[in-house]
Amino acid sequence: MRVRALTFRILNQLRHDRRTLALMLAAPVFLLTLVYFILGDTVPLVKVAVINAPAGFEDKLEELNVRSLRYSESEARRALEQGEIIASIDISGGKSAIKVDGSNPAKAKAALAALEQAKNSALFSRPDLKSEVSYVYGQEDLPTFDNFGATLIGFIIFFFVFLVSGISFLQERTSGTLEKLLSTPVRRWEIVVGYVLGFGLFTVLQSFLISWYCVYVLKVMMVGSFALILLITLLTAMIALTLGILASTLANNEFQMMQFIPVLIVPQIFFSGLFDLPAGMEVVGHFMPLYYIAHALTEVMIKGGGFAAIAWDLGIILACSVLFMMVNALLLKKYRRI
């Protein structure tokens, strides 16, 4: 009898908690659908530049699902540096010179395999034709962790700062501290900025520790400046901090705060560069902060880019942080009692 009463109480509680019901029913379907389209039988778009090659070589590449583009040597170099293509090939002088962007190992391997297969096919078989492969970015034998290390650094900082800041700010609300602050003449934006700066001091230490540990202890590949890595991770912590506070403003308890993880955090993992996405889905990643974080870290750690190479990414991250702070200030209005 008591078990039945407890069971009915839980069912009645869940029936009135629409957010929990939506998470239990809709969120798994949403995530499974997302994984289906990302990990389905879709072929990633691979682009290569053909500088010099026999007639019909490009047709063979098209049969192998590789898009070939005719470029001059200078144009191919520029396209490789800007990430427009994954490899270039120049067949002349009795040899085949291939340059590869190893920052995306999956596409690099696909491009190399297709180029070698096209070169060694029945139409273009030449025993004296040697391939000289050079990597513009990355290395051929680069460990898997090094390939994804830049993205993982950004994700780990983003996830933990989001979780800790959100729960901490929620405790400020549930304990009544925030309500007391709102009853004073202090402005809402001052409260948001104060909390961001307060939590931000601890995120500085966390960002430095994670960056230093990955680069100097785990020996993750790092071609660029360590100072730029620190700058990116600090901005990563800032946007995660403001997003965490924003989520906690919308939540009523810690359980509801955790419900935002599969909605706000998990989808960003798929668009951060860890997976090769179909061409149509890559655009979705441009609306997610973690995409710009991973891109900036990859530009510095793998490609050795300077500040100019990541300025756009940093601008987007900073703009999103300011936007989240403004929305936080607006949402705090509902907690002001006087």
Side-chain angles (χ1 to χ4, degrees):
M1 197 71 177
R2 286 174 292 185
V3 173
R4 185 178 64 178
L6 182 60
T7 302
F8 279 112
R9 187 187 70 83
I10 297 298
L11 291 175
N12 188 56
Q13 179 180 344
L14 290 174
R15 184 170 61 89
H16 292 88
D17 191 348
R18 297 181 179 178
R19 183 180 298 179
T20 301
L21 288 177
L23 179 70
M24 295 175 63
L25 301 178
V29 176
F30 167 72
L31 291 178
L32 285 173
T33 304
L34 189 62
V35 173
Y36 170 80
F37 284 109
I38 292 176
L39 302 181
D41 297 330
T42 55
V43 179
L45 180 62
V46 178
K47 296 181 180 180
V48 299
V50 178
I51 301 174
N52 293 300
F57 182 82
E58 297 167 82
D59 294 334
K60 184 62 178 179
L61 288 177
E62 294 294 337
E63 294 177 7
L64 299 172
N65 296 317
V66 175
R67 181 179 299 180
S68 60
L69 304 169
R70 277 282 180 175
Y71 281 162
S72 65
E73 186 175 354
S74 59
E75 291 174 339
R77 186 185 306 110
R78 178 194 57 81
L80 268 174
E81 293 175 352
Q82 296 183 359
E84 298 175 1
I85 58 175
I86 197 67
S88 67
I89 185 170
D90 184 2
I91 302 178
S92 60
K95 63 180 181 180
S96 171
I98 302 176
K99 295 183 179 180
V100 185
D101 177 5
S103 61
N104 189 322
K107 287 187 177 181
K109 290 180 180 179
L112 277 175
L115 291 173
E116 288 294 332
Q117 186 174 346
K119 179 175 69 70
N120 297 325
S121 63
L123 293 177
F124 312 108
S125 179
R126 290 176 54 185
D128 60 336
L129 193 62
K130 300 179 180 180
S131 295
E132 296 180 358
V133 180
S134 59
Y135 281 77
V136 179
Y137 305 119
Q139 302 173 8
E140 181 180 5
D141 56 349
L142 196 65
T144 303
F145 185 78
D146 285 12
N147 285 324
F148 303 111
T151 303
L152 291 176
I153 290 174
F155 169 72
I156 290 173
I157 294 176
F158 188 87
F159 175 75
F160 281 101
V161 172
F162 170 85
L163 189 63
V164 172
S165 63
I167 293 179
S168 299
F169 190 78
L170 183 62
Q171 290 176 346
E172 292 286 293
R173 278 183 35 221
T174 55
S175 64
T177 303
L178 182 61
E179 185 175 356
K180 294 177 181 178
L181 284 174
L182 289 171
S183 65
T184 66
V186 66
R187 298 178 180 179
R188 296 191 305 273
W189 69 266
E190 292 175 330
I191 295 177
V192 174
V193 173
Y195 274 103
V196 169
L197 292 178
F199 286 117
L201 294 177
F202 291 96
T203 61
V204 170
L205 177 61
Q206 182 198 51
S207 301
F208 175 81
L209 177 61
I210 294 177
S211 302
W212 175 84
Y213 184 78
C214 288
V215 173
Y216 294 105
V217 178
L218 299 181
K219 303 297 182 181
V220 176
M221 182 178 183
M222 223 281 291
V223 181
S225 170
F226 183 72
L228 288 179
I229 298 298
L230 288 179
L231 177 61
I232 298 171
T233 53
L234 285 176
L235 291 179
T236 299
M238 178 181 292
I239 192 172
L241 179 61
T242 54
L243 182 61
I245 295 177
L246 176 60
S248 68
T249 306
L250 299 173
N252 295 323
N253 50 56
E254 287 82 355
F255 181 66
Q256 289 187 355
M257 179 64 197
M258 299 294 291
Q259 293 175 2
F260 285 109
I261 294 178
V263 178
L264 297 178
I265 304 299
V266 175
Q268 296 195 56
I269 302 175
F270 298 108
F271 296 94
S272 63
L274 291 176
F275 301 92
D276 286 319
L277 304 176
M281 297 192 67
E282 289 182 350
V283 182
V284 180
H286 296 171
F287 297 93
M288 300 186 178
L290 198 56
Y291 168 84
Y292 297 97
I293 295 169
H295 182 266
L297 288 170
T298 301
E299 283 289 327
V300 176
M301 298 182 68
I302 304 296
K303 298 184 177 182
F307 182 80
I310 61 174
W312 173 255
D313 297 316
L314 298 183
I316 295 295
I317 297 171
L318 186 60
C320 289
S321 300
V322 174
L323 176 63
F324 293 153
M325 291 176 66
M326 294 173 61
V327 176
N328 276 324
L330 292 175
L331 291 178
L332 283 179
K333 185 177 181 180
K334 67 178 182 178
Y335 297 106
R336 188 180 286 274
R337 303 303 182 186
I338 60 174

